[in-house]
Amino acid sequence: MTTTLQKDLASHLLACEENVQDTVKVTKEMAPDLTIEEAYLVQEQLVQMKLDKGLTIVGPKMGLTSKAKLTQMNVDEPIYGYVFSNMVHDNKSEVSMKELIHPKVEAEIAFELGEDIEGPGVPAADVMRATAAFIPAVEIIDSRYKNFEFTLPDVIADNASSSKVVFGERVPNQQDLELDLLGATITINDEVKAGGAGAAVLGHPANAIAMLVNMLAKKGEKLKKGQIILSGQLLKPS
Ligand code: 0L1
Ligand code: MG
């Protein structure tokens, strides 16, 4: 795949995000043979374009980490993307629907790192040791693809549908915190729409962060002190 095509796909997806405009999946016509490896190269171009615009990375994020989500999307492996500074909204702030195509919300546990973590071979226990705090988070995903219809390479190229994040109150890391037993509910207009627990994220959210570190190691990247990392959805998106 040429660098020109990678950049064309990334520019197209970025324009859709900025113009709040949906598109058919890129594998439909623009890149029918896009592989997972190539899709991450497109994502890298997209990330670079955002950095060139002066945005900064809050942290990478894991997506498609729950069995429910994998089944819903009909795929079999988790993916990663990046959360940027302009995606973060204060707790209790309002987010305008005009800035979004067709948002869905996810309840997640975010990890604020107190030290760098570098793979490969990092176990979940190392992730827990390196974490300074946990932060409850609502991720608002907003695929650029019409009706959320995409293949795995499409969604990877589209930065794992990243759009907005609202962080709650930071909870300093206590080693006895049982994140797998921690519950969450999504309530929309006083109606409980979904519920779940940390165990839905690959058995324990730290497993997802460990998997992320080990995936990033393949391209020579590490997780850095101060980054805030979404570990994945606890339940089906609403
Ligand atoms: O953060 C996520 O789990 C989203 C991954 C992308 C899948 C989707 O758009 O539903
Ligand atoms: Mg998510």
Side-chain angles (χ1 to χ4, degrees):
M1 181 186 206
T2 63
T3 310
T4 307
L5 182 55
Q6 290 166 22
K7 287 188 176 166
D8 285 350
L9 297 179
S11 306
H12 174 64
L13 290 166
L14 184 56
C16 287
E17 182 181 343
E18 290 175 344
N19 300 327
V20 194
Q21 174 67 56
D22 65 9
T23 177
V24 293
K25 55 190 178 186
V26 293
T27 56
K28 190 169 168 78
E29 280 166 11
M30 293 178 83
D33 302 324
L34 191 69
T35 65
I36 289 175
E37 291 71 27
E38 290 168 342
Y40 276 116
L41 296 176
V42 176
Q43 189 192 92
E44 274 177 36
Q45 296 289 353
L46 184 70
V47 165
Q48 192 53 52
M49 285 171 190
K50 285 174 179 273
L51 292 172
D52 291 345
K53 284 173 182 269
L55 301 176
T56 54
I57 291 174
V58 173
K61 69 161 214 182
M62 273 302 248
L64 305 183
T65 45
S66 71
K67 183 86 183 100
K69 187 81 194 208
L70 289 168
T71 307
Q72 184 194 31
M73 293 299 158
N74 199 21
V75 294
D76 53 18
E77 66 176 336
I79 58 175
Y80 63 84
Y82 290 83
V83 172
F84 280 85
S85 46
N86 66 335
M87 296 178 178
V88 178
H89 289 250
D90 289 339
N91 197 6
K92 301 200 168 105
S93 61
E94 288 189 8
V95 175
S96 169
M97 291 293 278
K98 289 196 185 124
E99 297 168 31
L100 298 154
I101 303 166
H102 43 197
K104 294 183 184 182
V105 290
E106 299 186 328
E108 305 210 10
I109 298 167
F111 287 59
E112 182 194 305
L113 296 189
E115 48 190 83
D116 292 359
I117 326 179
E118 192 162 7
V122 171
D126 286 7
V127 171
M128 291 301 280
R129 267 192 296 275
T131 301
F134 302 103
I135 307 176
V138 173
E139 182 183 16
I140 301 172
I141 54 168
D142 197 28
S143 173
R144 269 50 69 171
Y145 299 121
K146 270 185 209 309
N147 305 320
F148 273 79
E149 277 170 22
F150 46 69
T151 64
L152 199 57
D154 285 301
V155 67
I156 291 167
D158 186 30
N159 193 24
S161 305
S162 303
S163 179
K164 296 185 184 296
V165 185
V166 181
F167 289 121
E169 253 173 63
R170 188 177 178 277
V171 180
N173 187 4
Q174 302 145 23
Q175 292 301 330
D176 57 353
L177 210 58
E178 294 181 292
L179 293 186
D180 50 342
L181 301 182
L182 202 70
T185 54
I186 293 275
T187 304
I188 301 178
N189 296 336
D190 295 331
E191 197 183 325
V192 176
K193 294 281 189 184
V201 185
L202 302 180
H204 190 291
N207 289 336
I209 306 293
M211 185 184 271
L212 174 62
V213 183
N214 297 324
M215 286 166 98
L216 290 176
K218 291 186 192 143
K219 60 174 184 177
E221 266 187 34
K222 61 181 179 179
L223 295 180
K224 298 181 193 141
K225 178 179 175 179
Q227 285 185 329
I228 301 176
I229 299 152
L230 294 175
S231 56
Q233 156 75 323
L234 304 183
L235 21 108
K236 275 192 191 167
S238 306

